[in-house]
Amino acid sequence: VDHETGIATMKFKSPPVNSLSLDFLTEFCISLEKLENDRACRGVVFTSNVPKIFSSGLDITEMYGKSTEHYAEFWRAVQEMWLRVYGSNMVTIAAINGSSPAGGCLVALSCDYRIMVENPKFSIGLNEAQLGIVAPFWFKDTFVNVVGHRVAERSLQLGSLHPAPEAHKIGLVDELVPEENLQERAAAVMAQWLALPDHARQLTKSMMRRAVLDRLVAHREEDIQNFTTFISKESIQKSLRMYMEMLKKKKH
């Protein structure tokens, strides 16, 4: 936290790919809560300390070969992360300096503003369908609110990962910048958002996002139940195993 500017920078550093594991999500929520409680902190920039990747999304090992209790605990942590970021009182900016599939895309979508490095090798999207899993309704709602219904529907059904230029074209990210200008640009955008009185901006944000947040809060237990039932299915476990094996082959 830079107390002069009131801006915090949170850097994801969980090599190799910043997977959202239970530990990572727990740490993330604790850090975010500390910033929310710090009166001097008005905005936070999320970025990655790992080259070429913002976050690869949910950690598949948390969803494979574990107990239903574990799945429930993991899913609650995923919900918590989203509720905190999407409902944050602070200005939240994603400085996307690498690829950001699935849950990584969700983190970015939950922010107020997204700036991505203009490298076509980096892609972003909710590609759950490719793994044989379904993006939950609150992932979908967040996505629809950013890119609109038609684009979201097509992208979700195809499990698309959009290269940076395409992500910008469909409005998934707000702007593209050269890598060396990313932090500077994030600071400039942050200054623009912080130039407004906090209460007016916060109330407006709450008004725009409340319905989506309330929908998950109202159906939280049911959503956890749906996830654990779905992920425990033999067919789903099998497709996750095949996906993990494919990833291993890629590494060798």
Side-chain angles (χ1 to χ4, degrees):
V1 183
D2 178 337
H3 281 101
E4 272 176 42
T5 59
I7 302 167
T9 307
M10 199 189 282
K11 293 182 177 173
F12 304 154
K13 191 181 180 185
S14 182
V17 291
N18 290 337
S19 294
L20 306 175
S21 64
L22 185 55
D23 287 349
F24 184 100
L25 290 164
T26 306
E27 194 69 30
F28 182 86
C29 288
I30 291 169
S31 303
L32 206 54
E33 191 175 11
K34 278 184 191 156
L35 295 177
E36 290 280 2
N37 292 334
D38 182 344
R39 290 318 267 280
C41 186
R42 299 172 63 212
V44 59
V45 176
F46 298 112
T47 194
S48 168
N49 235 353
V50 176
K52 298 182 186 156
I53 192 96
F54 180 69
S55 165
S56 66
L58 303 184
D59 188 340
I60 291 176
T61 61
E62 301 279 13
M63 302 187 264
Y64 178 75
K66 304 273 195 300
S67 67
T68 47
E69 291 76 23
H70 182 89
Y71 298 146
E73 188 189 3
F74 175 63
W75 198 245
R76 188 178 292 282
V78 179
Q79 292 177 334
E80 192 60 35
M81 177 273 293
W82 176 77
L83 289 168
R84 283 181 183 279
V85 180
Y86 201 65
S88 176
N89 264 326
M90 298 181 288
V91 175
T92 51
I93 293 180
I96 309 161
N97 51 343
S99 286
S100 199
C105 178
L106 180 73
V107 175
L109 284 171
S110 306
C111 292
D112 294 311
Y113 200 82
R114 285 157 289 285
I115 308 169
M116 191 169 183
V117 168
E118 57 178 0
N119 183 339
K121 285 189 179 137
F122 297 158
S123 60
I124 183 169
L126 294 175
N127 61 323
E128 280 77 359
Q130 283 189 35
L131 321 183
I133 54 181
V134 179
F137 71 87
W138 40 286
F139 282 52
K140 179 268 298 175
D141 289 344
T142 313
F143 198 29
V144 168
N145 286 350
V146 172
V147 298
H149 200 280
R150 174 65 192 130
V151 173
E153 183 182 348
R154 189 179 60 210
S155 188
L156 284 168
Q157 286 202 50
L158 293 172
S160 309
L161 282 175
H162 306 279
E166 192 183 301
H168 182 236
K169 201 167 111 189
I170 63 171
L172 175 49
V173 296
D174 295 300
E175 55 180 286
L176 301 178
V177 296
E179 186 145 19
E180 60 274 15
N181 301 358
L182 183 64
Q183 294 311 321
E184 186 190 335
R185 184 63 194 140
V189 171
M190 181 64 85
Q192 198 184 350
W193 284 64
L194 290 180
L196 281 90
D198 283 344
H199 67 278
R201 183 191 51 72
Q202 286 162 354
L203 288 169
T204 305
K205 179 175 182 172
S206 173
M207 175 177 69
M208 297 297 294
R209 298 187 170 198
R210 179 56 47 206
V212 178
L213 288 160
D214 285 351
R215 200 170 150 205
L216 176 61
V217 173
H219 299 284
R220 202 166 173 181
E221 296 309 318
E222 189 189 327
D223 183 57
I224 292 172
Q225 193 57 56
N226 288 345
F227 173 77
T228 51
T229 307
F230 181 75
I231 215 76
S232 303
K233 281 184 185 161
E234 217 169 295
S235 57
I236 301 302
Q237 286 290 306
K238 191 179 160 188
S239 60
L240 287 176
R241 186 176 70 241
M242 284 162 67
Y243 186 72
M244 283 172 13
E245 281 164 7
M246 185 194 83
L247 287 179
K248 270 188 199 140
K249 280 194 190 115
K250 270 189 182 171
K251 279 178 195 156
H252 297 314

